Amino acid sequence: MARRKESDRAQQNNDDSDSNPNDELEEEPNFDDPEGYEDDISEQDLMGDLIRQRPKETDGVESIVVIDGVPQVGPERIEKLQNVLKKLFQKFGKITNEYYPLNPDGSTKGHVFIEYSNASEALEVLKGTNGYKFDKNHTFTVNLLTDFEKYNDILDKWENPVPQPFKEQGCLQYYLLDQDACDQFSVVYEQGDKVAVYLNTQPEPSLLEERPRWTETLVRWSPLGTYLATFHAKGIALWGGEKFQQIVRFSHPGVQFIDFSPCEKYLVSFSPLADSRATDEPQAIIIWDVLSGLKRRAFNADKSQALPIFKWSHDDKYFARMGVDMLSVYETPSFGLLDKKSIKVQGIRDFAWSPTDNTIAYWVGEEKDTPARVTLLELPSRNEVRVKNLFSVADCKMYWQKSGDYLCVKVDRYAKLRKDKSDIKYSGIYYNLEVFHMREKQIPVDSVEIKETIQAFAWEPVGTKFAVIHGEPPSTSVSFYEVKTGQTPTMVKKYERKPCNQLYWAPSGQFIVLAGLRSMSGALEFVDTQDFTVMNTGEHFMATDVEWDPTGRYVSTAVSWWGHKVDNAYWLWSFQGRILKRVALDKFCQLQWRPRPPSLLSAQQIKDIKKSLKKYSAQFEVKDRLKMTKASKELVEKRRKLMQEYEDLRKQKQEEYAEQRRRRIELRNNVDTDETEGRGGELEEETVEFFIKEETTFIDE
């Protein structure tokens, strides 16, 4: 059989050669570059992934750490020491090798070499255990093995670094100097191809800047409004100043999410496409210094974590992330772990910073006979200032009031619990609102029970009220509670059967919008919570977004192209619910108001202004009327100018028509056809008759 197959194969080859006698004569394609061709593509752009994986001279060395300050023990205690150290250092990664140098008598020398699987794990050990106090007589000093060679290569003669030239950026807070305190807002439309920035003047917004392809996805303002961030395939760019020039850019390929620190000192960028366990250094999460544009620290990402992964304290001094049974708090500007170690919290589920104090609230789920609990933790002292135990808890959500005076924990409780093989099912769910009075002695906690399902919760930003949407559609209700010192929260108003699923308080409090977005067809209700009067109702069909301006004078509603593909537009309303402007844009995507920094006025000054508000309002009304009159005059003047331009153009064309009259007559065999009326001799009249129909009528005699 083998011989037959070989012969068949030979015969087939002969047949192929006979059928294609010119195959050998065909020229092979030429892959050479043309003359004068210059290759401008770098190896990094062409093979960036492969270049990062190629072997380096430091491979196998940069993943080794040297720990000094280890206790010197005899041969009989080495095994115990190894077990203790291994338990400590294996938290940071996989240990592949360890070496304990010994003296001639078999005792340890006081330092240890530990090798990890990659360099990023070794770097985490350095940041987490350098300066770690092992006992009262031993403190660890941790270094990378590559650092010894680096410090040996230090030049003997100091060379001063070359200073970078100063770059004038202009006034980045110019928008706060507007005489009429008009706010700015950004608009993204045409599927993200165009971005425009407007000044919210009346009666028409004024266009400040418009650029095509300014961003590739969306834009975002910084918390204080100083910068406008745009997203690109290669990273993030920040823009500012009167002409929105580029201030700084951060290179992070594939970035899809960013987060500013509250004081705008730092920027966190997250790229889900980056390798979560890069061989050289982390690439998924990077923290940048906004002023210098330098990378301060990078972290690996866990795909199971919710965004934002890092949460910041109000003063940018600390940022924290949650891990498995631990809470890691980092301090700035060192970007190292606070006190060189994480906080062990068995079963931690979520946490949130106070908006005005360096206090963290976190909650821990139930475990066997141990109840769930909510803990308030002060930093950097790590003192637990308040602990609240909770029973029969399915889930918790924490809501801080903007002023930091109160914390509300929405507790989902259950009546019965059933455990399957890999699932937990709850039945008889009801809800409690646990309100912590942060400014009172010993932080008392009050409880409000709500039997119905809670759809939404929102604190009044400046005030003592909160609102709750509860019930199942279409029978949802809205209840308002007021919190007073030393008293349990009391219900002050309840609206029955309200078609809403979201709550939007004005930034200064008092006014709120009850919105039924998306599935509720965009129903809007504007409420003054001082006396709970409904100022107005409206509807923006299929609205997806509602956003207050920073002053609380205007509200924007929008139908985003990202949510719906038709009727994309944004509408501007007054705080009383009066529609001011409807703007339809092709594939409108996003509207964002430019934030303002906190007011420099004291609480007493703000109180005095509110008392004399009627005096100021009269001045503002006069100013508004003048603006409207000026706008009317400008409109009349614009129309008059257009009419004058038309008359000038018409006169010019009439003169040209008269000048060309003689030439037209010559071209028409000396027959003047410009005016044909009244010249019967030059015209022939013809009458044409058409037969339309014939009718026969019979008349009885």
Side-chain angles (χ1 to χ4, degrees), residues 39 47-48 164 186 190 281 355 393 421 432 452 579 585 596 602 643 677:
D39 188 1
M47 301 180 297
Q164 296 183 357
S186 63
E190 290 190 6
E281 62 176 340
V393 176
K421 294 182 179 180
N432 272 44
E452 298 176 307
I579 186 68
L585 294 174
R596 288 176 174 267
S602 63
M643 188 64 184
E677 294 182 1

Side-chain angles (χ1 to χ4, degrees), residues 63 134-135 165 175 200 202 278 282 314 331 366 377 416 468 480:
S63 59
F134 186 67
D135 55 35
Y175 63 97
N200 190 30
Q202 296 299 329
H314 74 287
E331 56 184 347
E366 293 180 322
L377 187 70
K416 293 183 179 180
V468 181
F480 290 87

Side-chain angles (χ1 to χ4, degrees), residues 11 41 101 185 252 276 335 427 437 478-479 531 617 620 623:
Q11 181 66 31
I41 302 177
F185 61 90
H252 195 182
S276 61
F335 291 87
S427 60
H437 298 251
V478 182
S479 299
D531 51 6
S617 63
F620 295 149
K623 203 168 185 179

Side-chain angles (χ1 to χ4, degrees), residues 583-597:
V583 181
L585 294 174
D586 181 34
K587 296 182 180 179
F588 164 80
C589 298
Q590 178 193 43
L591 183 145
Q592 280 192 326
W593 293 95
R594 187 169 193 171
R596 288 176 174 267

Side-chain angles (χ1 to χ4, degrees), residues 203-231:
E204 295 290 334
S206 303
L207 179 63
L208 299 179
E209 192 74 23
E210 184 179 25
R211 298 179 188 177
R213 295 179 296 279
W214 200 353
T215 183
E216 296 183 14
T217 52
L218 51 87
V219 300
R220 180 172 176 181
W221 295 100
S222 59
L224 304 181
T226 308
Y227 308 102
L228 178 67
T230 57
F231 289 71

Side-chain angles (χ1 to χ4, degrees), residues 271-284:
S271 174
L273 303 178
D275 186 6
S276 61
R277 287 292 176 184
T279 55
D280 46 1
E281 62 176 340
Q283 296 290 336

Side-chain angles (χ1 to χ4, degrees), residues 309-340:
I309 296 176
F310 288 103
K311 299 179 182 180
W312 292 84
S313 63
H314 74 287
D315 54 3
D316 287 8
K317 287 186 177 180
Y318 307 101
F319 61 98
R321 72 183 297 182
M322 185 176 62
V324 178
D325 296 335
M326 69 176 181
L327 181 65
S328 300
V329 181
Y330 301 83
E331 56 184 347
T332 61
S334 65
F335 291 87
L337 276 171
L338 181 65
D339 296 334
K340 308 295 184 182

Side-chain angles (χ1 to χ4, degrees), residues 659-671:
E659 291 176 357
Q660 297 172 358
R661 177 181 175 83
R662 184 180 60 83
R663 181 59 177 162
R664 285 198 306 275
I665 294 175
E666 291 178 357
L667 293 174
R668 297 170 183 173
N669 297 325
N670 296 322
V671 177

